Amino acid sequence: MTTPAPVIGRAVIVGASLAGLRAAAALRANGFEGDLTVIGAEPHPPYDRPPLSKRLLRHQVATPFGHSTGPAAADGDPAVDPAAWGVALPVDPSLDIRWQLGSAAVGLDPRERMVHTVDGRQTPYDALIIATGARARRWGGPGASLAGLVRLRSLEDAVTLRHRLFDAAATGGQVLVVGGGFIGVEVSVAARALGCAVTVIEQQSHLLSGQIGELAGQVIATKLHDLGIGVRLGRRLLGFGGDADDRLRVAHLDDGSTLDAHTAVIGLGVVPATEWLRGTDAVLRPALSCDQHCMVHGLPTETPIAAAGDVARWPSPVFDQQQIEVGHWSNAREQGEVAAHNLLVAPEQRRPYVQVPTFWSDIADLRLRSVGLPALGDDVTVVSGSIASGRVLLSYTRRGRQVGAISINQPAQLPAYHRMIAEHAQLDLLA
């Protein structure tokens, strides 16, 4: 006996970034004609985050108010608007979305089917998509409250950092980047392009240790060295020191050394934005646990609730149902679409979320492209090129099975690896 599709008059999406916007568009494309509300913690409509750590920091930006080569003024300045910075995502007016922006979700009552927001509003729903993304991890050690520590997640963060980088370049101040992940590496390159003195501090023995592995990390480290960026590997930050006005002045490392500091960019990864779900029966690990159809575990099944993007964790058919979470642009886009589809149909008609993760980063003249999950690999092989040349294709396998590939300025063969990983997933579904 087939279960009927749910009757949905009011759909609510919590999260007004890429995943939320794609989910909204997919709801309408799949025939949803009811009330559609998108709740966003930030005051802006959806915008693209990848440029925040790259071109927005260093390039001239054409705005309605002329070209800006320096920082915006204060909060509320027009230049803090996504459209002014060229990062706004296009929103089709025909989607007929009711926006609740600058209105962070602070609680969920799944029995009453109600989302509570910080401004005291209660928004009812018949179906819910959670796409609240992630927040940048804070530095919690000594000196955490000093002026000059910057995280990078939002447009406001990027504008603040841009201001400080221009000031550091003008005054000769040192920029420290704490964390050698992609955000840290991309920011260090942008800061150096502006003329800043830059040092990256990474606790692991190589850059991007949990993302692309040692060999690819060597290529990135060499590029940073060639650009004149200092890289302190295997060094742990103990804390920061400031002056009498509580402004950042120095960083202390675990080898007893100190580094002068004008600005410190805290690039210690992200934490899924699930705090507002505590007190419900949602399974938080710490991302929001879902099934392979993007439906949330632990919450009432009679009311469909799905999740998408950085906030979600799910069993991937691509990797033998291993629980994964993927914080990439392409994942947010594609998972938002699948979550929306599955929200509208009967349980028997839901389709599994089968996506081969893809990722890219431009680091100076290095064009890094990744497919699969290279971090899962237990063996890595140089397929073509070489580490020394900075042009290389790397293959990652786990117990003999292809799980990922990375191209650095060697993209031609990458689609074949994407197909290889995807075909394995499809065979598993047919078995």
Side-chain angles (χ1 to χ4, degrees), residues 12-180:
V12 171
I13 300 170
V14 185
S17 195
L18 176 63
L21 178 60
R22 295 302 296 183
L27 285 174
R28 293 304 193 200
N30 281 280
F32 176 67
E33 297 180 347
D35 293 334
L36 176 56
T37 300
V38 176
I39 297 172
E42 295 184 53
H44 313 298
Y47 61 89
D48 212 12
R49 294 188 191 274
L52 302 186
S53 59
K54 297 184 275 290
R55 65 175 174 82
L56 187 147
L57 295 179
R58 68 178 188 266
H59 291 173
Q60 285 196 355
V61 178
T63 78
F65 313 97
H67 276 80
S68 170
T69 57
D75 289 345
D77 186 285
V80 184
D81 179 76
W85 288 98
V87 296
L89 291 170
V91 178
D92 185 345
S94 70
L95 295 178
D96 191 22
I97 296 171
R98 179 183 294 112
W99 297 97
Q100 289 183 205
L101 300 176
S103 179
V106 294
L108 174 67
D109 186 339
R111 300 192 184 283
E112 296 296 325
R113 298 186 300 183
M114 199 78 68
V115 176
H116 299 267
T117 51
V118 69
D119 51 10
R121 278 188 278 188
Q122 299 180 25
T123 304
Y125 64 86
D126 301 314
L128 177 67
I129 295 178
I130 298 171
T132 42
R135 55 178 173 79
R137 194 183 301 273
R138 295 180 180 273
W139 163 254
S145 63
L146 292 171
L149 272 63
V150 183
R151 293 177 296 157
L152 182 55
R153 185 66 183 176
S154 69
L155 179 59
E156 279 79 7
D157 293 337
V159 171
T160 297
L161 177 57
R162 179 182 168 87
H163 176 95
R164 295 200 63 87
L165 293 182
F166 273 86
D167 188 64
T171 62
Q174 167 98 316
V175 175
L176 303 183
V177 178
V178 183

Side-chain angles (χ1 to χ4, degrees), residues 296 299-304 350:
V296 174
L299 297 180
T301 56
E302 61 270 17
T303 302
R350 291 171 183 164

Side-chain angles (χ1 to χ4, degrees), residues 23-395:
L27 285 174
R28 293 304 193 200
N30 281 280
F32 176 67
E33 297 180 347
D35 293 334
L36 176 56
T37 300
V38 176
I39 297 172
E42 295 184 53
H44 313 298
Y47 61 89
D48 212 12
R49 294 188 191 274
L52 302 186
S53 59
K54 297 184 275 290
R55 65 175 174 82
L56 187 147
L57 295 179
R58 68 178 188 266
H59 291 173
Q60 285 196 355
V61 178
T63 78
F65 313 97
H67 276 80
S68 170
T69 57
D75 289 345
D77 186 285
V80 184
D81 179 76
W85 288 98
V87 296
L89 291 170
V91 178
D92 185 345
S94 70
L95 295 178
D96 191 22
I97 296 171
R98 179 183 294 112
W99 297 97
Q100 289 183 205
L101 300 176
S103 179
V106 294
L108 174 67
D109 186 339
R111 300 192 184 283
E112 296 296 325
R113 298 186 300 183
M114 199 78 68
V115 176
H116 299 267
T117 51
V118 69
D119 51 10
R121 278 188 278 188
Q122 299 180 25
T123 304
Y125 64 86
D126 301 314
L128 177 67
I129 295 178
I130 298 171
T132 42
R135 55 178 173 79
R137 194 183 301 273
R138 295 180 180 273
W139 163 254
S145 63
L146 292 171
L149 272 63
V150 183
R151 293 177 296 157
L152 182 55
R153 185 66 183 176
S154 69
L155 179 59
E156 279 79 7
D157 293 337
V159 171
T160 297
L161 177 57
R162 179 182 168 87
H163 176 95
R164 295 200 63 87
L165 293 182
F166 273 86
D167 188 64
T171 62
Q174 167 98 316
V175 175
L176 303 183
V177 178
V178 183
F182 276 108
I183 290 293
V185 167
E186 291 167 356
V187 168
S188 71
V189 171
R192 186 64 187 142
L194 290 174
C196 299
V198 185
T199 299
V200 178
I201 304 165
E202 170 53 54
Q203 187 171 342
Q204 302 300 319
S205 60
H206 52 277
L207 296 175
L208 302 158
S209 59
Q211 296 154 306
I212 62 174
E214 183 174 358
L215 292 181
Q218 288 175 13
V219 178
I220 306 303
T222 298
K223 175 55 63 176
L224 266 56
H225 175 78
D226 292 346
L227 293 173
I229 297 170
V231 180
R232 302 288 296 272
L233 297 174
R235 293 274 66 89
R236 184 166 58 89
L237 175 69
L238 296 182
F240 297 106
D243 60 18
D245 296 318
D246 288 331
R247 293 176 298 190
L248 174 66
R249 286 293 178 261
V250 66
H252 302 278
L253 305 188
D254 61 348
D255 61 354
S257 64
T258 60
L259 294 170
D260 292 339
H262 169 284
T263 295
V265 184
I266 308 301
L268 299 176
V270 298
V271 180
T274 57
E275 301 90 344
W276 65 286
L277 296 169
R278 292 172 186 162
T280 70
D281 292 325
V283 180
L284 308 177
R285 294 180 175 169
L288 185 58
S289 182
C290 305
D291 66 16
Q292 65 176 344
H293 303 111
C294 307
M295 308 306 289
V296 174
H297 283 145
L299 297 180
T301 56
E302 61 270 17
T303 302
I305 301 177
D310 296 9
V311 75
R313 176 183 176 89
W314 75 98
S316 171
V318 180
F319 300 105
D320 300 327
Q321 304 301 320
Q322 179 170 336
Q323 293 279 333
I324 67 171
E325 43 197 273
V326 177
H328 298 334
W329 188 93
S330 59
N331 177 68
R333 178 191 62 196
E334 295 174 26
Q335 197 169 29
E337 294 173 355
V338 173
H341 170 273
N342 290 342
L343 211 64
L344 298 175
V345 300
E348 295 85 357
Q349 297 174 314
R350 291 171 183 164
R351 63 174 189 253
Y353 178 52
V354 184
Q355 186 236 26
V356 176
T358 60
F359 177 77
W360 68 92
S361 180
D362 293 340
I363 301 166
D365 59 352
L366 299 181
R367 303 292 180 262
L368 187 148
R369 304 293 182 263
S370 169
V371 298
L373 290 178
L376 294 181
D378 55 21
D379 186 52
V380 57
T381 303
V382 176
V383 177
S384 61
S386 68
I387 299 300
S389 71
R391 298 177 58 87
V392 65
L393 177 66
L394 299 168
S395 166

